Amino acid sequence: MTGRLVTVNLGMVTEAEWAGDASGRSGIDKRPVDGPVLLRVDGVAGDFIGERAHHGGPDQIVYAYAEEDAAWWAAELGRDIRPGAFGENLTTYAVDVTGAVVGERWQIGTALLEVTKPRTPCRTFAGFWGVPDLIKRFTVRAAPGAYLRVLREGEVGAGDPVEVVERPAHGVTVGEVFRASTLEPELLPRLLDVSELPESLRRKVERRLATPDV
């Protein structure tokens, strides 16, 4: 089955005490929009980002989350979870987001994207959902969604096919990077084989391997 976009979602300005920005504003509340959206090298057109110190940047311009994983959470929590509720720009269907290989490239609409790393849950996420132990539960579930960089700017829209046009041979997936960074540190050495790994993440891996007891 060919993967596709269910929705493209843009961040609303949300003011709340749990918002990560010092101003108390967050862009985690993303809502589906009609029509095409321009994905730029420096950001998603029309998307609000609150705490730029930890969100945005060239290695995490676009965040994708699978509709199938959202359905698991809806069943787990016993409530509806709409597209964009994970703070994702792209809600996908029939795309193995957790199994995406770091560095693989997706053709969507007229844009070309490259998978970079998993999303790390934060207190803003837990506050937005109103689930105090969400970070722990999200970590155990280990279906984090994927960040992507924009290699070629272009427009994407709901219904567009998601085509994997290139996949690196190293085979290290988004899910493996997430597990290595959280509950399975024994996987960390594998990440050093990934030339496409963002440099900031590579440095963190190297520091942890140099000081394994810290």
Side-chain angles (χ1 to χ4, degrees):
M1 181 180 295
T2 302
R4 61 175 173 82
L5 294 186
V6 179
T7 57
V8 180
N9 316 299
L10 298 180
M12 311 285 290
V13 180
T14 301
E15 299 188 15
E17 61 181 11
W18 44 256
D21 190 355
S23 68
R25 299 192 303 168
S26 171
I28 194 172
D29 185 8
K30 300 194 188 299
R31 304 293 180 92
V33 296
D34 295 325
V37 173
L38 176 63
L39 304 184
R40 303 187 305 247
V41 173
D42 62 351
V44 177
D47 189 37
F48 174 75
I49 297 176
E51 191 181 18
R52 290 188 175 274
H54 298 100
H55 301 284
D59 295 322
Q60 47 189 48
I61 294 295
V62 179
Y63 177 46
Y65 202 79
E67 183 181 64
E68 296 88 342
D69 291 327
W72 185 92
W73 279 106
E76 174 74 5
L77 298 176
R79 69 190 200 192
D80 292 336
I81 296 179
R82 57 169 175 75
F86 289 82
E88 80 272 20
N89 302 106
L90 308 179
T91 306
T92 66
Y93 174 74
V95 177
D96 186 3
V97 178
T98 301
V101 173
V102 174
E104 76 174 38
R105 297 182 174 185
W106 297 359
Q107 172 73 49
I108 310 175
T110 57
L112 181 65
L113 311 178
E114 183 177 271
V115 174
T116 59
K117 63 178 184 176
R119 181 254 194 90
T120 301
C122 61
R123 67 182 183 87
T124 298
F125 184 34
F128 176 54
W129 276 29
V131 179
D133 64 344
L134 183 60
I135 293 176
K136 179 180 179 180
R137 294 168 71 173
F138 192 85
T139 300
V140 171
R141 175 61 178 164
Y147 280 119
L148 303 100
R149 59 172 66 98
V150 177
L151 299 181
R152 184 179 67 239
E153 296 186 346
E155 292 185 334
V156 303
D160 282 350
V162 178
E163 180 183 3
V164 178
V165 296
E166 185 176 333
R167 179 172 283 142
H170 59 72
V172 176
T173 67
V174 164
E176 188 172 357
V177 174
F178 183 80
R179 297 195 312 275
S181 302
T182 54
L183 301 179
E184 300 179 43
E186 64 273 16
L187 298 176
L188 285 170
R190 281 268 288 149
L191 307 192
L192 298 181
D193 296 331
V194 183
S195 61
E196 299 87 354
L197 199 70
E199 186 58 31
S200 60
L201 183 53
R202 177 177 296 276
R203 289 196 298 268
K204 289 181 181 179
V205 171
E206 291 172 343
R207 287 197 298 269
R208 288 188 63 184
L209 289 174
T211 55
D213 296 328
V214 175

